[in-house]
Amino acid sequence: MFHVGGARSALFNWALAEQSGGRFVLRIEDTDAARNRPEWTEGIISALAWIGINEESPLFEGPYFQSSYAEQHKEAVAKLAADGRAYYCTCTREDVKARTGSEHQGYDGFCRDRGLTEGAVRFRTPDEGVTVVEDLVRGTVEFPNNAMEDFVIARGDGSPLFVLANVVDDVEMRISHVVRAEEHLSNTPKQQLLWQALGLTPPVWAHVPVIVNEKRQKLSKRRDKVALESYRDEGYLPEAMVNYLMLLGWGTGEDREIMPWSEMVPRFRLEDVNPSSAFFDEKKLRAFNGEYIRALSPEEFVARCEPWLEPGWDRETFAKIAELAQTRISVLSEIRDNVDFLFLDEPVFDQASWDKAMKTSAKEILTGYLARLETVAMDPDSLKTALEEVGTEHGLKLGKAQAPVRVAITGRTVGLPLFESIEALGRERSAARIRAALARLEA
């Protein structure tokens, strides 16, 4: 799955590339075999394409694969070792613990000057001073060098660790800006030291804030709804998702929040991103989505609903009533429960709705309305007037009188406007449903 936090970072990168005439580079870090499968790569590409980041755009480069740069990784390790900026080490964690007497203390530099020619390779960090990271989001961040141990850049079998491979890949791919989540900030001083040790100028760093849930806990795939695909499959519009994700940590500087991508891009600045954690509010996202759904043209709304309609449902009938549903749903998957009554031989009764509506006077209301359905004109105003008359006969206002009729027609207490629904269903089918509800009441 593709984390919504990763999607937000991708969009920030995409906006930066678009406004600066640059390129967005998609790199798949596939050197960990346990975490690498072709279908997962396809999932990343598909999720990015859904939010508008796709291979069809001239801004897009990739996907590149980290495993393709194995030789460059080895060359970098060899150069660092030859220049004295890295050295071989055969110490195990147990060795370090035995020497220091602590299982928490970092590596003690034991192999720095032993002149070994095999083993893991460690980078020789400076003993004094600070490594200063200039971050577009977080400002100047200082890391004391004496707090950094000589970290491993290659395993004993020669394979690189992430910290080294990531730097080399950035060099090879001409990366100018690294825009990523703040969890990677702790890696940055090590990577910056590697860039400098290789005689190169580090890229521009920007670490965007972590995304949290309503309890201000970092979004977790084990606890929270974080997969971009799940929102796509539920019927969120990509335009709404893009708009909402862009505002997680960044603002347009204006009162309005609903804004198309084309207007956000020229306003976007990494320097304006707030370093504080950003709250992922699904209720607000849902409200955004409802706004975008209502802004669709009727024709576009019908087309967007297509994946949630059953194959046998008549599309012309749906198109006639779709506009009524468009103002009432917040995600496209809700369309099914709003219109299924039109296409089923009989409604699917929601038991809670039935129990609530079919109380005192329900039988009398249904019987009276059934009689009027035989002759009433089949337009919403006439259908409404007929039910008002039935309600008056039994001392009920329209709101109370229509509850049993709505459940008989649609199976639920909420949904599309009742009288437009009866008109769409037709006289004979509507009457048949009221008869069926009466039979169920008498059973």
Side-chain angles (χ1 to χ4, degrees):
M1 62 95 189
F2 193 62
H3 197 291
V4 290
R8 190 272 305 267
S9 295
L11 286 169
F12 282 5
N13 277 278
W14 190 251
L16 181 64
E18 184 171 326
Q19 69 177 205
S20 63
R23 297 289 185 273
F24 171 99
V25 178
L26 174 61
R27 181 169 70 232
I28 306 298
E29 293 171 341
D30 62 338
T31 52
D32 185 345
R35 301 177 63 185
N36 175 48
R37 294 182 187 175
E39 61 268 28
W40 293 349
T41 298
E42 288 304 314
I44 292 171
I45 294 172
S46 173
L48 285 173
W50 182 66
I51 55 173
I53 300 174
N54 61 71
E55 298 171 276
E56 303 301 318
S57 171
L59 298 177
F60 190 97
E61 278 196 22
Y64 299 125
F65 293 88
Q66 191 168 69
S67 57
S68 301
Y69 295 85
E71 286 304 313
Q72 289 90 331
H73 300 155
K74 291 178 181 178
E75 290 171 4
V77 171
K79 173 176 171 52
L80 291 169
D83 292 346
R85 302 303 303 271
Y87 59 91
Y88 289 94
C89 173
T90 56
C91 295
T92 65
R93 185 63 209 160
E94 288 71 23
D95 294 336
V96 176
K97 180 180 177 181
R99 286 196 300 269
T100 63
S102 171
E103 62 181 35
H104 303 295
Q105 187 169 327
Y107 181 67
D108 57 358
F110 181 78
C111 290
R112 265 191 169 193
D113 301 310
R114 294 179 66 195
L116 301 178
T117 57
E118 60 180 21
V121 181
R122 289 182 179 271
F123 182 78
R124 189 187 297 266
T125 60
D127 295 324
E128 300 176 345
V130 295
T131 295
V132 179
V133 173
E134 296 294 346
D135 191 287
L136 288 183
V137 175
R138 301 181 179 279
T140 300
V141 187
E142 296 186 351
F143 297 86
N145 291 328
N146 60 11
M148 278 188 285
E149 67 179 14
D150 289 354
F151 53 92
V152 178
I153 59 174
R155 302 177 183 86
D157 63 3
S159 61
L161 269 71
F162 168 82
V163 67
L164 183 281
N166 193 259
V167 168
V168 173
D169 294 345
D170 283 353
V171 172
E172 293 294 326
M173 297 172 195
R174 309 179 313 283
I175 299 300
S176 62
H177 291 68
V178 173
V179 185
R180 59 188 181 184
E182 68 174 277
E183 296 98 313
H184 292 286
L185 182 59
S186 60
N187 296 324
T188 307
K190 298 177 182 179
Q191 292 176 322
Q192 185 160 297
L193 287 171
L194 286 169
W195 275 85
Q196 293 166 344
L198 291 169
L200 302 168
T201 302
V204 175
W205 307 107
H207 289 86
V208 299
V210 66
I211 299 177
V212 298
N213 62 20
E214 59 185 4
K215 295 181 180 179
R216 294 303 185 265
Q217 301 166 317
K218 178 184 170 184
L219 282 189
S220 166
K221 64 182 180 182
R222 296 178 179 84
R223 180 187 57 239
D224 304 303
K225 182 179 173 183
V226 301
L228 188 67
E229 298 93 328
S230 67
Y231 290 98
R232 177 190 64 193
D233 297 343
E234 192 175 335
Y236 283 84
L237 301 182
E239 309 96 296
M241 179 61 78
V242 166
N243 191 161
Y244 182 71
L245 289 177
M246 284 293 290
L247 298 181
L248 289 180
W250 173 76
T252 62
E254 302 176 23
D255 290 337
R256 65 184 181 123
E257 292 186 304
I258 303 296
M259 185 178 291
W261 175 258
S262 61
E263 294 184 29
M264 285 190 287
V265 169
R267 292 169 168 80
F268 180 72
R269 293 177 73 252
L270 282 168
E271 293 87 346
D272 294 337
V273 174
N274 191 326
S276 301
S277 58
F279 169 40
F280 190 95
D281 185 348
E282 191 174 345
K283 291 181 181 178
K284 186 172 182 178
L285 169 60
R286 191 179 181 86
F288 267 51
N289 204 62
E291 291 283 341
Y292 272 89
I293 285 176
R294 289 186 283 278
L296 295 173
S297 69
E299 297 77 16
E300 180 66 14
F301 176 69
V302 169
R304 296 286 189 106
C305 287
E306 178 65 34
W308 285 273
L309 303 179
E310 297 295 332
W313 292 2
D314 179 62
R315 293 324 192 245
E316 288 188 14
T317 300
F318 171 69
K320 291 176 182 177
I321 204 169
E323 196 169 352
L324 296 173
Q326 187 172 359
T327 61
R328 286 167 170 76
I329 66 173
S330 297
V331 291
L332 293 177
S333 59
E334 293 175 342
I335 193 64
R336 186 183 290 108
D337 288 347
N338 275 269
V339 303
D340 63 353
F341 74 94
L342 274 175
F343 308 106
L344 301 173
D345 292 335
E346 55 186 45
V348 176
F349 289 110
D350 171 63
Q351 190 60 47
S353 296
W354 177 274
D355 294 341
K356 181 179 180 181
M358 300 303 180
K359 295 180 179 179
T360 306
S361 302
K363 182 177 179 181
E364 290 77 7
I365 293 293
L366 291 174
T367 301
Y369 197 56
L370 177 61
R372 282 171 170 74
L373 268 180
E374 294 178 0
T375 57
V376 69
M378 293 299 290
D379 64 80
D381 288 340
S382 299
L383 290 164
K384 177 182 178 182
T385 299
L387 187 54
E388 285 176 329
E389 293 171 354
V390 174
T392 300
E393 292 174 3
H394 297 280
L396 297 175
K397 293 183 177 180
L398 180 62
K400 294 288 186 181
Q402 70 178 357
V405 177
R406 176 183 290 282
V407 173
I409 296 295
T410 69
R412 303 176 181 89
T413 54
V414 295
L416 303 188
L418 174 59
F419 306 107
E420 285 82 352
S421 298
I422 295 173
E423 178 187 32
L425 194 63
R427 189 188 309 276
E428 292 184 6
R429 294 180 70 198
S430 296
R433 292 194 176 186
I434 293 177
R435 291 191 196 97
L438 284 168
R440 180 172 177 174
L441 277 172
E442 294 171 355

